[in-house]
Amino acid sequence: FKQKTAYEISLGLVGSEMCIRDRYFGDDSISYAENPVHLYPGPGVYEVELMAINGDCFDVATATIEIKPELRLFVPTAFTPDDEDGVNDFWKPVFTDVNLLSSYKLEVFSRWGKRVFSSTDPDEFWRGNDGEGEYFVQTEMYTWVLQLSVPPETAFTCPISNGRKKGDHGAHSNGPSNNGNESCTVFGRVVVIR
C-alpha cells in the first residue's frame, strides 16, 4: 500500500508470483486492475484489502489507512486598498478550512517595526489601515507574522515562506504544544500598492 496524497493510494503487489484478484478500498469500491490508484471521497478511516491467488493458495492482506482532513494556506503578496474599484482592496491569509485551526494570530508590521494590524480572527481582513483607525498606510512593503496551531488529526505542514526552507527565516514548526496541537509560525511580506 502506498499513500500518494491526502486522498489517494496506490495498491499493488511487487515482486511476487501471486495473481492479484481483487482490491477492496474500504469505501465500497473494488478494482480488478493490475496497479490501481484510488481516490477517496474525503477524510476517514478505511480498511483496505488485497486478495491474491497462486494456484490453490489464497491470501488476503489488509491495512487500515487514515486520511486526515487537510489544511492548506495561501498568503497573497500584494493588494491595492483604494476602495475605488472594489477589487483587491483587502488582505488576509487564506485557508482551505478555517474551522480546522485551533489558534490563529496575525500581525503586520511597518519597516520601522510598528505594528499596523493584529487579529486573532482568521476571517478578518486587513484594510491597509495603520491600526489606529482610518489612517491608511503608504505604498511600501510590510512584514507579516502568522502564528497558528492545528489539532493532531489535521494534515498540515508548516508552509515555507518566500522560498525559504524550514529552519531558515520564514517558517518554523514549533511542534506539539501542551494540548497536543501542532503549532507553526510563518512570516513573509506583503506590498501595499496605492
Side-chain angles (χ1 to χ4, degrees):
F1 303 101
K2 180 181 177 189
Q3 189 163 353
K4 300 174 88 174
T5 67
Y7 300 118
E8 185 178 334
I9 68 162
S10 174
L11 189 59
L13 196 58
V14 179
S16 174
E17 299 298 318
M18 308 255 330
C19 171
I20 305 299
R21 177 153 180 233
D22 301 329
R23 293 164 186 84
Y24 300 95
F25 294 102
D27 63 349
D28 297 326
S29 298
I30 188 170
S31 174
Y32 301 104
E34 187 172 332
N35 290 304
V37 173
H38 182 69
L39 185 64
Y40 283 93
V45 176
Y46 301 94
E47 188 73 25
V48 180
E49 286 186 3
L50 174 69
M51 188 181 305
I53 300 172
N54 183 0
D56 292 335
C57 295
F58 169 82
D59 198 7
V60 175
T62 62
T64 301
I65 60 170
E66 178 183 9
I67 298 177
K68 297 179 177 185
E70 186 176 27
L71 179 67
R72 293 187 183 191
L73 168 65
F74 169 73
V75 183
T77 57
F79 73 117
T80 57
D82 55 22
D83 286 334
E84 293 175 12
D85 58 6
V87 177
N88 204 25
D89 290 331
F90 306 101
W91 177 89
K92 73 171 187 162
V94 179
F95 294 91
T96 51
D97 185 354
V98 296
N99 295 317
L100 295 175
L101 293 170
S102 298
S103 68
Y104 172 95
K105 181 179 181 184
L106 174 66
E107 295 178 295
V108 180
F109 299 91
S110 72
R111 64 181 168 170
W112 298 282
K114 178 185 177 191
R115 185 173 56 202
V116 295
F117 178 74
S118 180
S119 178
T120 57
D121 180 357
D123 291 320
E124 184 178 0
F125 289 90
W126 180 37
R127 301 178 319 133
N129 58 323
D130 75 347
E132 297 174 3
E134 293 301 314
Y135 174 75
F136 289 92
V137 298
Q138 62 187 4
T139 296
E140 68 178 50
M141 189 177 298
Y142 294 82
T143 298
W144 55 265
V145 178
L146 175 60
Q147 296 173 316
L148 61 97
S149 65
V150 296
E153 61 273 5
T154 300
F156 179 74
T157 301
C158 191
I160 297 170
S161 299
N162 298 328
R164 297 181 175 111
K165 298 178 289 202
K166 281 187 185 174
D168 288 347
H169 304 290
H172 177 67
S173 177
N174 302 327
S177 62
N178 292 337
N179 58 10
N181 292 333
E182 184 73 26
S183 61
C184 171
T185 300
V186 185
F187 64 86
R189 292 172 186 83
V190 59
V191 177
V192 173
I193 304 168
R194 293 215 171 267

